[in-house]
Amino acid sequence: MKVACVQFCPEFKNVEANRKKLLDFLRTTDADLICFPELSFTGYFFLSRNEIEPFAFEFQSEIVKEFQYIATDLNRIVIFGFPEKFKGKIFNSAAILLPDSDLSKVYRKTHLFYKERFVFDFGDTGFFVVYDKQRDFKLGVMICYDWRFPEASRTLALMGADLIVCPSNLVTNVWHISMPSRALENKVYFMVTNRIGTETNGGESLLFNGKSGIWDYNGKLLSLASETEEDIIIAEIFPSETRDKSFNEFNNIFTDRRPELYKL
């Protein structure tokens, strides 16, 4: 199957403009799975709950339903980040839309980065995988700062994920060091969809550094986006090849684990 990262610069606080841009990308990108960045609909650098609240929407909103219809119609898996309003809380969430809408789910960011703690509630979904029976494919999702915690990707891999997708708004210069390791140590495909551009709020600016990437299950880089430009990268993956965790006749990275000796 083909997977795609769509890297772009969301307009800060302009849900309608970003919605139209995502729709254009979705209709013109030829891939089985398409992932957009974290908070694709709103931009990122909010400083308070009151500031983001007018822009948050529910997973069952008409906006999400519109994208669900297209995912079903085009037979594609669609992942995008958005500020989710739910029972008086606001989460930094990712919609995971499968062609079969009954299988679609929302993931809420577990680990909040920097000033996000003043804006969002800590995620309560935990990590999970979704199964696309048509493609015989298991997908795990995390968001941005979640990558810093190897427990996140290991949890998804132990649940059977063939691919881990990470919609992001990354600003550090170290994350590319660890992504190959996350793939290799779990024998899974790994893809990060980052954004580009700069946002300024409260006298502070954040620069988002692009370079979205897709890695194979041995940590090999399959495709890499520009650091500063809007870009779409696509790679072909073979999910079934991730499932045998052996790398020689004696060693298997999952059955060789000794969790009774780990203190986590």
Side-chain angles (χ1 to χ4, degrees):
M1 58 184 289
K2 289 195 295 183
V3 297
C5 297
V6 178
Q7 174 177 288
F8 76 108
C9 180
E11 292 187 30
F12 191 51
K13 297 184 179 181
N14 194 337
V15 172
E16 182 58 20
N18 295 322
R19 169 188 159 273
K20 290 179 178 178
K21 193 148 194 177
L22 263 69
L23 288 172
D24 287 342
F25 282 128
L26 183 55
R27 291 180 175 128
T28 57
T29 303
D30 181 18
D32 299 289
L33 180 149
I34 301 172
C35 181
F36 297 95
E38 176 184 17
L39 296 174
S40 294
F41 282 85
T42 57
Y44 175 80
F45 200 24
F46 293 87
L47 298 178
S48 71
R49 181 177 300 267
N50 288 340
E51 186 180 16
I52 201 169
E53 190 164 13
F55 306 99
F57 50 91
E58 296 182 356
F59 183 60
Q60 299 300 331
S61 67
E62 291 304 313
I63 292 178
V64 177
K65 288 179 181 178
E66 178 180 31
F67 281 80
Q68 176 64 68
Y69 175 82
I70 295 172
T72 301
D73 185 54
L74 298 180
N75 192 28
R76 291 175 179 168
I77 301 169
V78 180
I79 302 115
F80 56 76
F82 72 106
E84 182 199 6
K85 186 183 298 183
F86 182 75
K87 293 184 178 180
K89 295 185 176 183
I90 298 177
F91 297 101
N92 183 341
S93 295
I96 308 162
L97 308 180
L98 277 70
D100 181 350
S101 61
D102 290 338
L103 301 176
S104 295
K105 299 187 72 171
V106 63
Y107 166 70
R108 297 170 182 149
K109 189 173 184 179
T110 301
H111 306 96
L112 298 182
F113 178 73
Y114 196 44
K115 295 182 179 179
E116 291 176 32
R117 66 191 63 239
F118 307 124
V119 180
F120 299 105
D121 292 282
F122 282 89
D124 61 1
T125 57
F127 296 101
F128 57 85
V129 298
V130 293
Y131 178 58
D132 181 359
K133 184 176 181 180
Q134 175 191 346
R135 297 178 175 89
D136 185 26
F137 165 69
K138 288 185 178 180
L139 169 68
V141 175
M142 61 175 66
I143 298 176
C144 201
Y145 183 49
D146 287 335
W147 76 264
R148 282 266 191 176
F149 302 86
E151 298 91 342
S153 54
R154 176 51 56 92
T155 297
L156 291 170
L158 289 172
M159 290 178 174
D162 302 308
L163 166 69
I164 296 174
V165 172
C166 188
S168 299
N169 280 187
L170 289 154
V171 296
T172 73
N173 293 311
V174 298
W175 60 276
H176 264 272
I177 299 170
S178 287
M179 299 311 171
S181 295
R182 296 289 174 268
L184 175 63
E185 68 199 9
N186 293 296
K187 197 178 179 183
V188 296
Y189 289 96
F190 204 100
M191 59 186 283
V192 177
T193 304
N194 199 16
R195 61 160 289 184
I196 54 171
T198 303
E199 285 182 2
T200 301
N201 198 356
E204 182 179 3
S205 295
L206 293 181
L207 172 65
F208 304 96
N209 52 32
K211 297 183 75 174
S212 301
I214 304 171
W215 290 264
D216 78 3
Y217 52 83
N218 287 316
K220 178 184 177 181
L221 183 64
L222 298 177
S223 190
L224 181 68
S226 160
E227 185 173 354
T228 59
E229 302 299 322
E230 186 176 284
D231 211 348
I232 300 173
I233 59 171
I234 296 176
E236 188 172 12
I237 69 170
F238 303 89
S240 63
E241 294 184 1
T242 70
R243 296 169 194 168
D244 180 359
K245 302 299 182 178
S246 301
F247 59 91
N248 62 40
E249 61 181 314
F250 301 111
N251 293 110
N252 179 299
I253 59 172
F254 280 9
T255 60
D256 285 349
R257 294 171 64 247
R258 299 189 63 195
E260 72 278 7
L261 300 181
Y262 307 151
K263 294 183 179 179
L264 298 176

